[in-house]
């Protein structure tokens, strides 16, 4: 049976999650933002393990983070079409977007033990949702679902991504803010690209989509058209 998964990968703020959510809505599928799970792991580590990683998270013991995820527990709950992360039964969709989580998440996501746990969680959820799931992240097409019939890799220039992220936060995208935000995005992209485990890169069979000059509506329409061609019936 065909695996009903669409993998959407790409760098920070490239529009994966908004595209994924809208594509899922059009197709009547569910949407899973794998970054939210890495963020939930990071939030749980910050709240329960303190700053023992020298404030950056690098020193956190991976086994303790995974044990926390099992004990608290960290899970995914389906709300409408959206899989949202919960920690100890509390919806943390908003809390995981905080700056303190964002600055540490790449260090946590570089830990192989954490990745193994997050991957197993994603595969479990997809097995339980045969209608189809749009999954977005960094390694969905390369590692988590290498058999996904449709893989899309979204890119856009760092400046355009910075502008989008600022607008999303309700901040005016003036030149100085764009400069600072694109530097922060680039630092996270470098960390994600250069890590030894599951680095950020397009799968060999991914469709590359540069969205710098493409509207959200148009990029959603393109992915939906590709999906209709690949998943007939
Ligand atoms: O929303 P944004 O693009 O800024 O980031 P995200 O998708 O929420 O992902 C946050 C972080 O989680 C990334 O910077 C990666 O370090 C990590 N991540 C990953 O390693 N693998 C994934 N499949 C998804 C996220």
């Amino acid at each position: 049976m065909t695996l009903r998964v669409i993998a959407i990968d790409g760098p920070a703020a490239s529009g994966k999650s908004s595209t994924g959510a809208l594509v899922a809505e059009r197709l009547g599928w569910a949407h899973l933002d794998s970054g939210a799970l890495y963020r939930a792991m990071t939030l749980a580590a910050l709240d329960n393990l303190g700053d023992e990683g020298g404030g950056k998270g690098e020193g956190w013991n991976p086994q303790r983070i995974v044990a926390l995820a099992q004990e608290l527990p960290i899970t995914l709950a389906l709300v409408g079409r959206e899989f949202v992360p919960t920690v100890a039964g509390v919806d943390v969709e908003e809390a995981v977007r905080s700056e303190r989580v964002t600055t540490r998440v790449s260090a946590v996501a570089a830990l192989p033990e954490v990745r193994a746990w997050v991957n197993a969680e994603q595969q479990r959820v997809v097995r339980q949702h045969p209608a189809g799931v749009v999954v977005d992240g960094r390694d969905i097409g390369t590692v988590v679902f290498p058999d996904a019939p449709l893989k899309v890799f979204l890119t856009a220039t760092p400046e355009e991504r910075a502008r989008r992220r600022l607008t999303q936060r309700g901040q005016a995208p003036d030149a100085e803010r764009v400069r600072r935000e694109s530097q922060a995005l680039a630092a996270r992209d470098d960390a994600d690209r250069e890590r030894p485990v599951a680095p950020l890169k397009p799968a060999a069979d991914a469709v590359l989509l540069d969205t710098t000059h493409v509207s959200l509506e148009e990029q959603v329409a393109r992915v939906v058209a590709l999906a209709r061609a690949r998943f007939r019936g």
Side-chain angles (χ1 to χ4, degrees):
M1 210 183 75
T2 323
L3 180 66
R4 291 178 77 80
V5 167
I6 297 173
I8 303 185
D9 290 301
S14 55
K16 305 176 300 285
S17 292
S18 22
T19 305
L22 288 166
V23 168
E25 195 183 302
R26 303 269 166 92
L27 297 176
W29 290 22
H31 171 232
L32 166 55
D33 167 6
S34 63
L37 260 186
Y38 286 103
R39 287 171 177 272
M41 300 287 263
T42 308
L43 178 70
L46 278 166
D47 287 348
N48 293 278
L49 306 180
D51 266 353
E52 63 185 49
K56 292 199 86 190
E58 282 92 347
W60 279 326
N61 174 330
Q63 278 82 20
R64 286 187 66 192
I65 301 181
V66 171
L68 262 180
Q70 278 153 351
E71 286 158 17
L72 285 166
I74 296 177
T75 55
L76 288 165
L78 190 58
V79 178
R81 307 203 158 280
E82 207 55 47
F83 282 104
V84 298
T86 69
V87 176
V90 177
D91 180 339
V92 293
E93 175 63 22
E94 290 296 316
V96 298
R97 309 282 150 200
S98 68
E99 191 57 29
R100 72 184 186 121
V101 171
T102 302
T103 52
R104 289 163 171 91
V105 61
S106 286
V108 172
L111 302 169
E113 295 85 348
V114 168
R115 302 201 71 83
W117 190 89
V118 168
N119 293 353
E121 193 58 18
Q122 294 181 68
Q123 286 155 353
R124 186 182 69 76
V125 158
V126 163
R127 269 198 306 275
Q128 290 177 356
H129 202 85
V133 187
V134 182
V135 188
D136 74 72
R138 304 288 187 287
D139 62 339
I140 308 306
T142 51
V143 175
V144 189
F145 297 106
D147 298 331
L150 176 58
K151 303 173 185 176
V152 177
F153 194 87
L154 294 183
T155 57
T157 60
E159 292 73 23
E160 177 57 23
R161 292 188 278 125
R163 255 178 245 121
R164 290 177 190 170
R165 190 46 50 103
L166 289 166
T167 309
Q168 201 177 36
R169 282 199 213 117
Q171 296 173 328
D174 57 62
E176 178 52 23
R177 280 213 191 95
V178 168
R179 195 186 58 77
R180 257 186 289 128
E181 185 62 27
S182 56
Q183 268 175 2
L185 292 177
R188 195 142 57 87
D189 291 345
D190 287 349
D192 291 343
R193 240 182 248 119
E194 285 157 20
R195 68 180 174 220
V197 192
L200 167 68
K201 64 162 187 229
D205 53 349
V207 178
L208 302 184
L209 217 61
D210 182 340
T211 72
T212 308
H213 304 292
V214 178
S215 69
L216 180 61
E217 174 52 40
E218 201 178 321
Q219 83 202 34
V220 168
R222 284 199 205 171
V223 179
V224 168
L226 288 166
R228 295 230 153 99
R230 302 263 164 112
F231 301 92
R232 289 178 196 280

